[in-house]
Amino acid sequence: MAYLQDEKPDADIVPALNLGDLDITTDEFILDEVDIHIQANLEDELVKEALKTGVDLRQYSKQVEAELQRIEQASIKDYIKESQNIASLHNQITACDSILERMEEMLSSFQSDLSSISSEIQTLQQQSVSMSVRLKNRQAVRSQLSQLVDELVVPSTMISVILDSPVTEQEFLEQLHELNNKINFAKELSFRETLACADIQDIVDRLKIKAVSKIREFILQKIYSFRKPMTNYQIPQNTLLKYRFFYQFLLANERTVAKEIRDEYVDTMSKIYYSYFKSYSSRLLKVQYEDVADKDDLMGVEDTAKKDILYSGFFSKPSLKSRNTIFTLGQRGAVLSPAELEAPILIPHAAQRGDCRYPYETLFRSQHYALLDNGCREYLFLSDFFMVAGNSALDLFNSVMGKTLSMFLKNMLTYVSDCYDSIAIFLCIHIILRFKAITAKRNIPALDKYWEAVLEMLWPRFELILEMNIQSIRNTDPQKLGVLDTRPHYITRRYAEFSSAIVSINQTFPNERTNTLLGQLQIEVENFVLKMAAEFPSRKDQLIFLINNYDMMLGVLMERAADDSKEVEGFQQLLRARTQEFIEEILAPPFGGMITFVKDSEALMEKGQLDKLRNDEVRITQLVRGFSSTWKQSVEALSQDVMRSFTNFKNGTSIIQGALTQLIQYYHGFHKVLSQPTFRSLAVRSELINLHHLMVEVKKHKPNF
């Protein structure tokens, strides 16, 4: 009720009315707006209902006002009725306000506490970052100092191993690596003027001196072991390669000792290689063939040149049993096969016990394969152990092998200057070319200059011997070569064997200069064959001689040379031309009349003048009857004569077949001529042999293999 009492004065206050808005006399009043307001009220549902029912508005207004008063009284009664609850609600709201005020104070206090904690957290975070930076700095310093201390400290294990352990122990090698690292580290620190370096310098120097002393003694012992007789020096070389770090240590820390070891090795191995190869070369020469070619063993020299020379003194060089063997390759070319080229070297004393003898090129191959094998191994050892490459490696190799290579070249010059065996020289050239390819494949350049020097020595000698043979054939006098014979001449056989040998060898590494000289030799041989053929009185014998020689040379060449080589093609053309000429020559005696008549008739037929032979009926009758009666006997005699004349049965058979084929062609031409209108009325035409019958009969006379 007190609350209501506080509210009552407010209810008695009547606010002053402001009727300014209702003043219709004012200038601001607008009738249009009033109309709009009235119109809007008329739209109201209650107003519409009142107007529709015809209610009196005054009465209705009073009624509404009374209703409002009644509602107001009822509302007041409800308010009074609920006054207790309202007062309780007011008290509760007041209590809540006090509680909320206290919570506000607590939250304000908590907020201030949180602000304080946040600042403390920031402080702690800053302290943590600072501590982390200090920790990292200390760790970095610690790692540097730890590494420095580890590198500076010389452990007792290292001292005891370097002083007491043999150099061949793995532990010594490991500690030597560590000592080398400490020496390098001490040098690096000395450049930085680190004071701690002075504390270990003395002990490191003494350990270095001890290690150098032990390593020097070990390596020199291995080098001295090379000098023992019958020593396989590859075994101590392999041992040195196992300890190649020893020389690296010496080179880095004691160059004078390293140079001493290098010089001692070069001096020792140079003498060993020189002694070994000198002894091996001299022993190889003892198993060489005693029969060697001399300046008289040339292609154009007759076989009888030495028969009149019986004995020219006790010290005369024995002559060859057969000069033809100088120009024949035979099995000598096998030395160039891959299996033989890299076969084990010859053992001279074993060959002597077995009384074996070898041609020079076989000894040359064995000697130079030993050089190639040892040279490649030595170059690789020098590059690996002494840590050299390029020109330095080549210079060191020449220091070791130079004396041996000079001895080889000197011996080669001695042999070459007195050698007349061109096939041996040419085989040696191709052995060197193949060995040169092997070293290139192995990527070993050490022997390249030596190979070139040998080739520069061999090529001119080979060309000189070849030119001497060419000149010997050019100077040959056919009248001094003994009795004439249509069989293949021994000089052409020499040429064929020699040419086929050179061509077959030259195929792998072609040389234009060699081909040129062979071309000159071929020209001289062709001229020689023609000169020899001119010595025969009859053309038939000349052709037989030419065909026999061409066929023999072609057969020998085709055994070794390619079918498309210049030599083969040249002799094939010569053989075909001479064979065709010989066929005409042997057909002329028995069938010459018919052949001449056919050729003359065909010439006149081309000119349309065949009537000139109309009066030759007697001649034609003789030709027809003569051929019919004698052709079988003539063919038989021709076949026997050809087979007697040619040494090559296959070639003789081919000539007979060519001759019979040519005969049938001539007889076919004879038929063709007599079938012309000029001779068609001749009665003797009925005596002509049927061409098909003739071919069948001729086949019976062809020789069979």
Side-chain angles (χ1 to χ4, degrees):
M1 291 303 290
Y3 177 76
L4 291 176
Q5 288 175 357
D6 293 334
E7 291 292 319
K8 187 175 180 181
D10 293 336
D12 293 339
I13 297 174
V14 178
L17 294 176
N18 184 11
L19 301 177
D21 294 337
L22 299 177
D23 187 3
I24 61 174
T25 63
T26 61
D27 295 334
E28 295 176 359
F29 186 82
I30 300 172
L31 294 178
D32 291 339
E33 293 181 358
V34 173
D35 291 338
I36 293 171
H37 185 67
I38 294 173
Q39 187 64 33
N41 289 332
L42 289 176
E43 294 296 328
D44 187 82
E45 294 296 330
L46 291 176
V47 175
K48 285 182 180 181
E49 185 67 24
L51 292 175
K52 189 183 293 184
T53 55
V55 177
D56 186 3
L57 293 177
R58 294 186 186 88
Q59 185 63 32
Y60 185 72
S61 176
K62 292 179 180 180
Q63 184 180 351
V64 169
E65 186 177 353
E67 184 67 27
L68 288 173
Q69 290 178 354
R70 185 182 63 77
I71 293 171
E72 182 181 357
Q73 291 297 323
S75 175
I76 292 171
K77 289 180 181 180
D78 288 337
Y79 188 79
I80 294 171
K81 182 179 178 181
E82 296 292 333
S83 60
Q84 294 292 335
N85 293 333
I86 293 173
S88 175
L89 178 61
H90 177 72
N91 293 332
Q92 291 177 1
I93 291 173
T94 302
C96 285
D97 285 342
S98 62
I99 292 170
L100 290 173
E101 184 178 359
R102 288 196 302 274
M103 289 185 66
E104 182 180 4
E105 292 175 356
M106 290 174 63
L107 289 173
S108 297
S109 175
F110 184 66
Q111 183 178 8
S112 64
D113 292 341
L114 285 177
S115 299
S116 175
I117 291 172
S118 176
S119 63
E120 291 177 359
I121 290 174
Q122 290 179 352
T123 302
L124 289 173
Q125 186 176 9
Q126 292 174 354
Q127 293 176 354
S128 175
V129 171
S130 177
M131 292 175 67
S132 176
V133 171
R134 289 199 298 272
L135 177 62
K136 289 181 180 178
N137 291 338
R138 290 178 181 180
Q139 287 178 340
V141 172
R142 180 183 177 182
S143 64
Q144 294 290 336
L145 289 175
S146 175
Q147 182 179 357
L148 177 64
V149 172
D150 289 342
E151 293 290 348
L152 286 174
V153 171
V154 180
S156 59
T157 305
M158 176 184 292
I159 297 173
S160 62
V161 170
I162 295 296
L163 293 177
D164 302 329
S165 295
V167 295
T168 55
E169 295 289 337
Q170 180 65 26
E171 190 177 12
F172 180 87
L173 187 60
E174 294 173 357
Q175 292 302 324
L176 189 65
H177 277 279
E178 290 296 325
L179 177 60
N180 190 55
N181 292 334
K182 290 188 182 298
I183 293 172
N184 293 333
F185 190 70
K187 290 179 182 178
E188 183 180 349
L189 291 180
S190 66
F191 292 136
R192 299 178 186 175
E193 298 181 355
T194 304
L195 297 178
C197 179
D199 296 339
I200 65 161
Q201 191 65 50
D202 181 59
I203 189 170
V204 167
D205 288 342
R206 283 188 288 172
L207 285 176
K208 181 182 73 173
I209 293 171
K210 183 63 177 177
V212 167
S213 175
K214 294 176 71 173
I215 290 172
R216 175 182 176 277
E217 182 181 359
F218 170 75
I219 296 179
L220 288 178
Q221 283 180 355
K222 291 298 178 184
I223 294 175
Y224 294 151
S225 68
F226 294 164
R227 303 175 181 178
K228 296 179 182 179
M230 306 301 292
T231 299
N232 183 357
Y233 58 86
Q234 295 174 12
I235 295 176
Q237 274 187 339
N238 293 335
T239 303
L240 288 177
L241 284 177
K242 183 179 178 182
Y243 300 104
R244 62 174 64 86
F245 179 72
F246 288 174
Y247 184 79
Q248 182 180 346
F249 181 84
L250 294 178
L251 196 62
N253 300 289
E254 200 64 49
R255 286 186 173 271
T256 54
V257 176
K259 185 177 184 302
E260 177 192 3
I261 288 176
R262 176 169 166 169
D263 292 344
E264 191 66 35
Y265 177 84
V266 169
D267 182 64
T268 300
M269 292 307 297
S270 176
K271 292 177 180 177
I272 289 174
Y273 280 125
Y274 180 79
S275 174
Y276 166 73
F277 279 107
K278 183 178 181 181
S279 173
Y280 183 67
S281 299
S282 62
R283 291 183 180 183
L284 277 180
L285 293 177
K286 294 179 181 179
V287 295
Q288 183 182 358
Y289 280 133
E290 295 180 358
D291 291 342
V292 293
D294 59 23
K295 62 181 179 180
D296 293 324
D297 294 315
L298 299 174
M299 199 174 295
V301 177
E302 59 273 18
D303 273 342
T304 58
K306 290 187 179 180
K307 289 184 179 179
D308 297 332
I309 304 175
L310 298 177
Y311 298 98
S312 59
F314 291 107
F315 301 103
S316 63
K317 184 168 59 175
S319 62
L320 296 178
K321 295 179 180 178
S322 173
R323 187 174 285 107
N324 291 332
T325 58
I326 302 171
F327 308 102
T328 304
L329 183 62
Q331 297 300 316
R332 298 171 70 181
V335 74
L336 298 178
S337 65
E340 184 68 24
L341 193 68
E342 299 185 56
I345 62 174
L346 293 176
I347 310 299
H349 61 270
Q352 283 180 309
R353 283 201 303 267
D355 198 24
C356 297
R357 290 292 182 269
Y358 300 95
Y360 178 77
E361 64 272 7
T362 302
L363 309 182
F364 181 88
R365 195 278 322 169
S366 182
Q367 181 186 43
H368 281 79
Y369 186 67
L371 175 65
L372 181 148
D373 195 39
N374 285 275
C376 290
R377 186 181 292 108
E378 185 64 27
Y379 179 80
L380 293 174
F381 173 82
L382 294 174
S383 300
D384 198 359
F385 184 78
F386 292 104
M387 296 180 297
V388 289
N391 291 331
S392 299
L394 294 177
D395 292 341
L396 185 58
F397 177 83
N398 289 330
S399 299
V400 175
M401 300 292 294
K403 192 175 179 182
T404 301
L405 297 180
S406 298
M407 181 261 293
F408 269 32
L409 291 175
K410 183 178 179 181
N411 293 344
M412 182 71 59
L413 182 61
T414 302
Y415 169 79
V416 167
S417 61
D418 195 38
C419 177
Y420 295 89
D421 188 352
S422 53
I423 290 182
I425 295 290
F426 201 58
L427 285 171
C428 291
I429 289 173
H430 279 264
I431 288 171
I432 293 298
L433 291 174
R434 283 161 173 77
F435 282 167
K436 187 177 179 182
I438 290 173
T439 54
K441 186 177 180 181
R442 295 181 183 179
N443 198 23
I444 305 294
L447 292 169
D448 288 353
K449 289 186 178 179
Y450 174 75
W451 300 140
E452 293 298 332
V454 174
L455 291 175
E456 289 175 3
M457 192 181 298
L458 293 175
W459 273 118
R461 186 64 186 181
F462 172 73
E463 293 175 0
L464 175 63
I465 299 172
L466 207 52
E467 288 171 353
M468 290 173 66
N469 280 288
I470 293 172
Q471 189 63 38
S472 72
I473 294 177
R474 186 181 296 131
N475 297 338
T476 299
D477 185 358
Q479 295 181 353
K480 295 182 180 180
L481 296 180
V483 181
L484 291 175
D485 192 344
T486 57
R487 290 175 296 180
H489 200 273
Y490 58 83
I491 290 181
T492 57
R493 179 170 291 279
R494 290 174 188 171
Y495 162 76
E497 294 286 353
F498 177 78
S499 182
S500 66
I502 299 301
V503 169
S504 63
I505 296 171
N506 200 44
Q507 288 175 350
T508 307
F509 294 93
N511 179 267
E512 194 59 35
R513 175 62 178 161
T514 303
N515 293 333
T516 302
L517 290 172
L518 285 178
Q520 295 177 9
L521 181 62
Q522 181 179 348
I523 292 172
E524 294 301 328
V525 170
E526 290 175 7
N527 293 337
F528 165 76
V529 172
L530 292 175
K531 286 193 295 183
M532 284 296 299
E535 296 295 316
F536 290 92
S538 68
R539 183 58 180 166
K540 178 181 176 182
D541 289 340
Q542 292 178 1
L543 291 172
I544 292 173
F545 176 79
L546 291 173
I547 292 172
N548 273 329
N549 281 275
Y550 291 153
D551 177 65
M552 181 274 297
M553 289 188 285
L554 187 61
V556 174
L557 282 169
M558 291 184 68
E559 289 180 3
R560 297 186 182 274
D563 291 344
D564 57 350
S565 66
K566 292 190 299 183
E567 292 80 7
V568 171
E569 290 180 353
F571 284 115
Q572 282 178 338
Q573 294 176 1
L574 291 171
L575 180 61
R576 282 195 294 268
R578 295 294 176 260
T579 300
Q580 188 60 38
E581 185 180 352
F582 178 75
I583 288 174
E584 296 290 340
E585 189 71 25
I586 60 175
L587 288 177
F591 309 109
M594 179 190 70
I595 294 172
T596 302
F597 176 78
V598 170
K599 290 180 178 180
D600 293 343
S601 300
E602 288 177 347
L604 292 173
M605 284 171 61
E606 290 179 1
K607 299 178 182 179
Q609 301 174 358
L610 193 59
D611 290 342
K612 290 182 178 181
L613 301 177
R614 183 182 297 275
N615 298 324
D616 284 353
E617 181 176 353
V618 176
R619 178 187 175 192
I620 294 172
T621 302
Q622 291 176 350
L623 291 175
V624 171
R625 291 174 179 172
F627 182 86
S628 301
S629 61
T630 63
W631 75 270
K632 289 185 179 181
Q633 295 84 350
S634 299
V635 167
E636 185 66 32
L638 180 148
S639 299
Q640 293 177 2
D641 185 31
V642 169
M643 296 309 293
R644 284 193 303 268
S645 300
F646 297 100
T647 55
N648 185 350
F649 180 76
K650 185 177 180 180
N651 184 42
T653 302
S654 175
I655 292 174
I656 291 173
Q657 291 177 348
L660 296 178
T661 302
Q662 189 66 36
L663 176 62
I664 292 174
Q665 289 178 353
Y666 280 133
Y667 199 69
H668 178 262
F670 192 49
H671 267 264
K672 186 177 179 182
V673 170
L674 295 184
S675 64
Q676 296 299 313
T678 305
F679 306 112
R680 196 172 294 169
S681 60
L682 295 177
V684 77
R685 288 183 68 249
S686 60
E687 298 181 25
L688 286 171
I689 301 174
N690 181 271
L691 196 60
H692 179 71
H693 176 71
L694 179 64
M695 292 172 65
V696 173
E697 291 295 324
V698 163
K699 285 183 180 180
K700 296 178 181 180
H701 293 273
K702 287 185 179 181
N704 296 318
F705 288 100

